[in-house]
Amino acid sequence: MKKALTSGLAGAAALAGAAFAEPADRAAVEKVLSTYETALNAKDVETIIALYADDGVFMPQHSSPQVGRAAVREAYRRVFAAITLDIEFHVDEIEPLSATWAFARTRSEGQVTVNATGQSAGEANQELFLFRRTDDGKWKIARYIFSTTNPPRQ
Amino acid sequence: MKKALTSGLAGAAALAGAAFAEPADRAAVEKVLSTYETALNAKDVETIIALYADDGVFMPQHSSPQVGRAAVREAYRRVFAAITLDIEFHVDEIEPLSATWAFARTRSEGQVTVNATGQSAGEANQELFLFRRTDDGKWKIARYIFSTTNPPRQ
């Protein structure tokens, strides 16, 4: 019975997919975040888009939600046409939610420069990322929202 | 063997907790959202706090993340001291992530009144909620962030 139960558990695990693997899956999620940081500062739209799931949703402040890769790509193009970022992310937490889902809560800080004027200002945001592991084992950004932590402009 | 495998699967399901149940768990999450909407408009801090997990995190715009119930309570008190809301939520999606996690992506729209001046303005936000099912079967807000979808103030 013990053996049969073990087989059953293994079968269930196979059906559900492997569990979130420490430290490999966590490292993979961290790698997505660091790649995102670098690509954001480099205005590298295609690298960013490759980090998103096909049906990923980007929820930038001052914009309605951008659903799916084509809309997400256009949104980043608009952002990079308007501003240049020089920011660093700090990871507050990365938590597995299941074998195929995880979230990260982060903060970011640095400088934003308005391209049209050359004017720079301090930028500080908080972010919530939902990641999904795709069938080929890659972790992708499924949902992403941020908001400023700076006080309101007077 | 088939029977033993089935028992094993049942054992695994028991270990993992029951799966996300449709429509009951979805309805429970929807109920948290509608209770939140009503309490937000009524400035009902204690009802809101009861919707949060003990270690819940509230990430209001223009504020650093508020971690844990005591900090979340103080944050809502500050919000309600400053503004009065009259808003409605629209649910774009509720998705289960596991037996004990789900997320909701919503938008909200209505009026915000600045208490100090009585001045009202249109309010429009997008939100991402992470919900966790506690051991007693209740769905709680584990993480919550929003950002405005209005254009930047000029």
Side-chain angles (χ1 to χ4, degrees):
Chain A
M1 187 57 201
K2 188 160 185 294
K3 186 160 187 296
L5 179 62
T6 306
S7 304
L9 284 167
L15 283 177
F20 187 92
E22 299 278 10
D25 279 324
R26 182 175 299 270
V29 167
E30 285 171 352
K31 178 71 182 164
V32 173
L33 287 170
S34 65
T35 303
Y36 182 72
E37 175 190 76
T38 303
L40 205 60
N41 289 327
K43 300 184 173 194
D44 181 349
V45 173
E46 291 312 313
T47 294
I48 289 173
I49 296 309
L51 298 176
Y52 270 86
D54 290 344
D55 60 351
V57 181
F58 174 39
M59 304 167 74
Q61 197 169 280
H62 301 304
S63 160
S64 56
Q66 304 294 310
V67 180
R69 222 169 228 163
V72 172
R73 178 183 282 114
E74 287 313 306
Y76 279 99
R77 284 186 179 155
R78 284 194 298 273
V79 169
F80 295 145
I83 60 170
T84 301
L85 292 166
D86 181 10
I87 58 172
E88 265 186 63
F89 278 77
H90 171 84
V91 177
D92 280 333
E93 49 177 349
I94 294 175
E95 295 293 339
L97 304 172
S98 73
T100 54
W101 287 92
F103 80 85
R105 185 166 63 80
T106 62
R107 284 169 292 152
S108 60
E109 208 162 354
Q111 292 288 314
V112 55
T113 303
V114 178
N115 298 335
T117 63
Q119 199 180 356
S120 287
E123 174 88 350
N125 288 290
Q126 56 195 337
E127 298 86 17
L128 192 62
F129 293 84
L130 267 176
F131 298 96
R132 196 180 68 224
R133 193 168 66 185
T134 57
D135 292 343
D136 61 357
K138 293 201 164 64
W139 286 90
K140 299 285 185 179
I141 300 170
R143 304 290 180 274
Y144 167 45
I145 180 171
F146 67 89
S147 71
T148 183
T149 55
N150 282 336
R153 275 190 275 175
Q154 297 302 313
Chain B
M1 186 58 199
K2 187 159 186 296
K3 188 159 185 297
L5 179 62
T6 306
S7 303
L9 285 167
L15 283 176
F20 188 92
E22 298 279 8
D25 279 324
R26 181 174 301 270
V29 167
E30 284 170 353
K31 178 71 181 164
V32 173
L33 287 171
S34 65
T35 303
Y36 182 73
E37 175 190 75
T38 304
L40 205 58
N41 289 327
K43 301 185 174 195
D44 181 350
V45 173
E46 290 311 313
T47 294
I48 289 174
I49 295 309
L51 298 176
Y52 271 85
D54 290 344
D55 60 351
V57 181
F58 174 37
M59 303 166 75
Q61 197 170 280
H62 301 302
S63 160
S64 55
Q66 304 294 309
V67 180
R69 222 169 228 163
V72 171
R73 178 183 283 113
E74 287 312 306
Y76 279 98
R77 283 185 179 156
R78 284 194 297 273
V79 168
F80 296 144
I83 60 170
T84 301
L85 292 165
D86 180 10
I87 60 172
E88 265 187 62
F89 278 77
H90 171 85
V91 177
D92 281 332
E93 50 177 348
I94 294 175
E95 295 293 339
L97 304 172
S98 73
T100 53
W101 287 93
F103 79 86
R105 185 166 63 81
T106 63
R107 284 170 293 153
S108 60
E109 207 162 355
Q111 292 287 314
V112 56
T113 302
V114 177
N115 298 336
T117 63
Q119 198 180 356
S120 287
E123 174 88 351
N125 289 290
Q126 56 196 336
E127 299 86 16
L128 192 61
F129 293 84
L130 266 175
F131 298 96
R132 196 180 68 224
R133 193 168 66 185
T134 56
D135 291 343
D136 61 356
K138 294 202 165 63
W139 287 90
K140 298 286 184 178
I141 300 171
R143 305 290 181 275
Y144 167 43
I145 180 171
F146 67 89
S147 71
T148 182
T149 55
N150 282 335
R153 276 191 274 174
Q154 297 302 313

